[in-house]
Amino acid sequence: MLRRIIFFLLIALFSASGFYAGLLILDKSLFSLPAGLPQLKFGIMALSTLVGLVLGLVLTSPIIRGALRLTSFLEQRLSRTPTQDLVMGSVGLIIGLIIANLLGSILFVLGPLGRLIWILGTLLLGYLGMSVAVKKREELLGLFSNFPRFGKEKVSRAENRQSNYKLLDTSVIIDGRIADLVESGFIEGTLLVPAFVLEELRHIADSPDVLKRNRGRRGLDILNQMRKNSPVKVQIIDNVRGLDDVAEVDSKLVKLAQRLGAKIMTNDFNLNKVAELHGVKVLNINELANAIKPVVLPGEEMTVQVVRDGKEAGQGVGYLDDGTMIVVDGGKKYMGQTISVLVTSVLQTAAGRMIFARPRQEQRQEAQNVRYNGVNALG
């Protein structure tokens, strides 16, 4: 219905334009009319109106189709653009047009050349204002936040809101423990997944290597599960302008975290160090896992199953439920058995924690031998 109304309005506009063109032709006396035939004026006006009507019938449909395509294209582009960019771009465009309008009063003195320069300057200043405002939006917002009328309370709120942003690395998505942490309620704020991280996951999922392909698909499944069932908001960031020249994903992640004032969640040791050098806060899942492991002190007794032999002669190796390795001195002969051990020392490394122990039975035997030898000595 609306399209039909627009169609008839455009035809009426073309017809009116043809009628006005006929009047203009008669008013300017572009060609002379015979003195005895004043009726030709009405014929010229009717002919010009008919020409406008025909042009309207021919051109209205293509104009409507083109306008609909342009509107759809602009709608798609604007829907993908962040709201912050739209607001800052509009402000920059308005400022550029105001400056161009102020210059226009001076350039109009130069005549047609000044008008041409003013038109070109208006286009240039409008584009520059919009482009600069979008690219420098973080600096502009920081400048506005320093004004007294915004108040310290509003600044602190903005900082707290930014600090709740957490960027997810590819490794932490594939690892999968982040989903359990989110479900437990220990993770708050908004989880951000940059477009380049999502693209890396897709490449891994399409890898010819079976192991990599399974890891990539697992990461995509976990990400979809988090977006559907997670109690916190999981958002995909498509706006990564200015990072196209950076080749490595880790460098892009660090620069994006600096831009947004966000933290990085990862279990990549190298990314952890690089981010710390750039002053970016990192939440390492491995460090969290090591921190919540139960504390074990030398002299404590525990039960462990020896599953394989160690590097040194006679050693056996077992594991706790959380994956902590226990090296049992003299435990090779207890291979496949579950025995009681006494902790002798605990070694904490960047990769995790290792517990060294000895079988409790051997220590009892040593204690009995010491008492036995002592009795012989006294005797």
Side-chain angles (χ1 to χ4, degrees):
M1 184 64 182
L2 180 61
R3 186 168 180 176
R4 289 182 179 180
I5 294 175
I6 295 174
F7 179 80
F8 288 117
L9 287 177
L10 287 177
I11 290 178
L13 180 61
F14 273 99
S15 301
S17 300
F19 179 78
Y20 178 75
L23 288 178
L24 188 63
I25 291 172
L26 295 175
D27 184 59
K28 298 296 183 180
S29 299
L30 298 181
F31 59 89
S32 59
L33 297 174
L37 295 174
Q39 296 84 359
L40 287 177
K41 293 182 179 181
F42 300 103
I44 291 174
M45 293 172 58
L47 180 61
S48 61
T49 304
L50 181 61
V51 171
L53 178 61
V54 173
L55 289 176
L57 292 174
V58 173
L59 298 178
T60 298
S61 295
I63 289 174
I64 292 177
R65 287 196 297 268
L68 291 176
R69 291 177 183 176
L70 180 61
T71 303
S72 177
F73 173 76
L74 292 177
E75 183 180 358
Q76 291 178 1
R77 295 283 299 190
L78 292 176
S79 62
R80 296 176 184 175
T81 304
T83 306
Q84 193 177 32
D85 289 355
L86 291 176
V87 174
M88 296 305 298
S90 301
V91 172
L93 178 61
I94 293 172
I95 294 175
L97 293 178
I98 291 175
I99 296 174
N101 191 28
L102 294 176
L103 294 177
S105 58
I106 301 174
L107 295 174
F108 267 79
V109 181
L110 302 177
L113 179 61
R115 293 187 179 91
L116 178 61
I117 296 175
W118 174 71
I119 293 173
L120 296 177
T122 301
L123 296 175
L124 179 61
L125 289 174
Y127 173 76
L128 287 178
M130 181 174 58
S131 178
V132 172
V134 171
K135 291 181 180 179
K136 298 293 183 180
R137 62 185 181 280
E138 300 297 337
E139 290 84 347
L140 293 174
L141 291 175
L143 179 63
F144 291 149
S145 65
N146 292 328
F147 289 168
R149 61 174 183 162
F150 283 86
K152 295 182 180 180
E153 183 178 356
K154 293 184 178 180
V155 175
S156 61
R157 287 179 182 177
E159 291 178 354
N160 291 334
R161 187 164 54 249
Q162 285 187 344
S163 64
N164 285 332
Y165 288 152
K166 299 174 181 62
L167 290 170
L168 299 185
D169 180 30
T170 309
S171 60
V172 80
I173 297 175
I174 294 177
D175 180 80
R177 288 178 291 179
I178 180 64
D180 297 331
L181 283 175
V182 170
E183 289 292 335
S184 65
F186 283 98
I187 302 297
E188 297 180 348
T190 303
L191 302 181
L192 305 178
V193 182
F196 51 82
V197 170
L198 197 60
E199 186 68 17
E200 186 180 27
L201 276 175
R202 188 185 66 81
H203 281 299
I204 296 175
D206 293 338
S207 174
D209 184 80
V210 177
L211 181 59
K212 288 185 177 180
R213 185 166 63 247
N214 292 336
R215 286 165 54 86
R217 292 177 179 176
R218 167 183 166 82
L220 292 175
D221 292 339
I222 291 174
L223 191 59
N224 288 327
Q225 177 185 354
M226 290 175 59
R227 292 197 67 183
K228 295 178 181 178
N229 305 323
S230 174
V232 301
K233 184 178 180 181
V234 180
Q235 181 178 350
I236 306 296
I237 302 181
D238 294 324
N239 183 20
V240 289
R241 296 177 182 175
L243 302 178
D244 297 334
D245 298 335
V246 183
E248 296 183 356
V249 175
D250 290 352
S251 301
K252 289 183 179 180
L253 203 63
V254 172
K255 291 185 179 296
L256 184 59
Q258 289 178 327
R259 178 189 299 179
L260 299 177
K263 301 175 184 178
I264 297 178
M265 296 195 69
T266 182
N267 56 9
D268 189 339
F269 180 77
N270 295 327
L271 176 59
N272 195 341
K273 294 301 180 183
V274 172
E276 288 179 354
L277 290 175
H278 286 83
V280 176
K281 180 68 176 178
V282 179
L283 303 177
N284 195 312
I285 301 297
N286 289 336
E287 292 181 357
L288 176 62
N290 292 330
I292 61 176
K293 288 180 180 179
V295 178
V296 180
L297 299 176
E300 290 188 5
E301 182 180 353
M302 60 175 49
T303 302
V304 63
Q305 182 181 10
V306 182
V307 296
R308 63 182 181 87
D309 54 348
K311 293 183 179 179
E312 303 295 333
Q315 285 184 345
V317 176
Y319 296 92
L320 296 180
D321 294 336
D322 58 8
T324 303
M325 178 185 293
I326 301 179
V327 180
V328 182
D329 188 17
K332 185 177 181 179
K333 56 186 176 181
Y334 299 104
M335 188 77 65
Q337 301 180 24
T338 300
I339 60 174
S340 296
V341 296
L342 287 177
V343 178
T344 57
S345 63
V346 179
L347 178 62
Q348 184 69 44
T349 64
R353 182 173 55 176
M354 294 179 61
I355 300 176
F356 295 88
R358 296 182 63 184
R360 184 174 178 81
Q361 297 178 358
E362 292 186 359
Q363 293 192 0
R364 288 178 177 175
Q365 292 177 0
E366 290 179 359
Q368 291 176 359
N369 291 336
V370 169
R371 290 196 298 271
Y372 178 76
N373 291 335
V375 171
N376 286 342
L378 290 175

